[in-house]
């Protein structure tokens, strides 16, 4: 996060942690296995509906776990729920500003994992591209996510997400 930006006006609506340490509080919020994976799939996979998140989960998340994590992330202020105009019973999940500002953390987690863990090329490529693209690419990606999730604009055909998706698809087809 750019430290020159003004501090957010509010805090996320989460219970107090065991200490006031920012690392501890963040781990308490995001430290379970599935919360970051769900945010990853919304952020990088463009999946916004329960069924998409369930069926496209590489890790095979169970429906009850997904429902619990979506509820937790909405309650924590990282996702918002919106009625989908295309279907009365369909809910769309969107990232909040707080979740969008996790992009640098997600980028660094992915880059670290790609360097130190036995990852697959297609699942590593997006993090590698973002890490190699530096802060400028990360900022462009966050601006793109803001337009899509906060303003409701469609995904840009020439944007960062499209570039990351294309690189993933190429790496997956090369396997």
């Amino acid at each position: 996060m750019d430290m020159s930006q003004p501090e957010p006006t509010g805090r996320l609506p989460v219970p107090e942690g065991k200490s006031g340490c920012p690392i501890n509080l963040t781990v308490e919020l995001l430290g379970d296995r599935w919360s970051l994976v769900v945010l990853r799939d919304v952020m990088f996979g463009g999946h916004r509906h329960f069924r998409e998140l369930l069926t496209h989960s590489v890790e095979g998340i169970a429906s009850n776990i997904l429902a619990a994590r979506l509820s937790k992330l909405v309650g924590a202020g990282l996702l918002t729920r919106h009625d989908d105009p295309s279907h009365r019973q369909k809910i769309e999940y969107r990232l909040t500003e707080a979740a969008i500002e996790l992009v640098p953390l997600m980028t660094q987690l992915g880059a670290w994992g790609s360097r130190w863990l036995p990852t697959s090329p297609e699942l590593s490529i997006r993090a590698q591209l973002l890490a190699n693209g530096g802060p400028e690419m990360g900022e462009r990606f966050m601006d793109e996510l803001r337009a899509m999730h906060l303003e409701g604009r469609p995904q840009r055909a020439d944007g960062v997400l499209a570039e990351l998706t294309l690189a993933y698809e190429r790496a997956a087809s090369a396997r």
Side-chain angles (χ1 to χ4, degrees):
M1 182 170 146
D2 180 2
M3 298 310 281
S4 65
Q5 292 180 348
E7 188 166 302
T9 55
R11 301 285 182 187
L12 293 176
V14 296
E16 287 189 30
K18 294 182 176 102
S19 76
C21 171
I23 294 171
N24 175 64
L25 291 170
T26 303
V27 169
E28 284 188 29
L29 177 62
L30 300 173
D32 67 83
R33 174 178 181 197
W34 294 109
S35 293
L36 284 174
V37 171
V38 169
L39 288 172
R40 175 206 65 192
D41 290 348
V42 175
M43 193 177 287
F44 295 101
H47 307 305
R48 295 190 191 191
H49 299 95
F50 184 89
R51 182 68 46 203
E52 292 172 337
L53 290 161
L54 185 65
T55 59
H56 291 100
S57 171
V58 175
E59 293 80 12
I61 189 169
S63 62
N64 61 325
I65 301 294
L66 176 58
R69 288 317 175 276
L70 288 169
S71 179
K72 174 187 173 182
L73 293 168
V74 168
L78 295 172
L79 292 176
T80 55
R81 288 172 48 106
H82 300 268
D83 291 331
D84 187 323
S86 70
H87 193 282
R88 286 187 300 156
Q89 294 178 333
K90 213 171 182 182
I91 299 295
E92 180 181 67
Y93 293 92
R94 294 184 193 166
L95 300 168
T96 64
E97 180 62 27
I100 291 167
E101 289 187 17
L102 287 170
V103 165
L105 174 68
M106 300 287 267
T107 299
Q108 289 305 309
L109 278 173
W112 184 89
S114 294
R115 180 174 179 194
W116 294 102
L117 302 172
T119 59
S120 65
E122 71 272 14
L123 296 176
S124 300
I125 191 68
R126 291 179 279 210
Q128 290 170 347
L129 287 173
L130 273 172
N132 293 342
E136 298 81 19
M137 186 177 200
E139 286 296 327
R140 285 193 349 260
F141 184 47
M142 290 191 300
D143 287 343
E144 191 175 313
L145 290 172
R146 286 180 185 104
M148 291 167 32
H149 290 268
L150 304 180
E151 300 168 17
R153 293 193 215 156
Q155 179 181 333
R156 292 180 44 171
D158 64 344
V160 175
L161 184 56
E163 180 181 340
L164 298 175
T165 302
L166 180 61
Y168 166 79
E169 290 168 352
R170 285 182 178 157
S173 68
R175 253 192 119 161

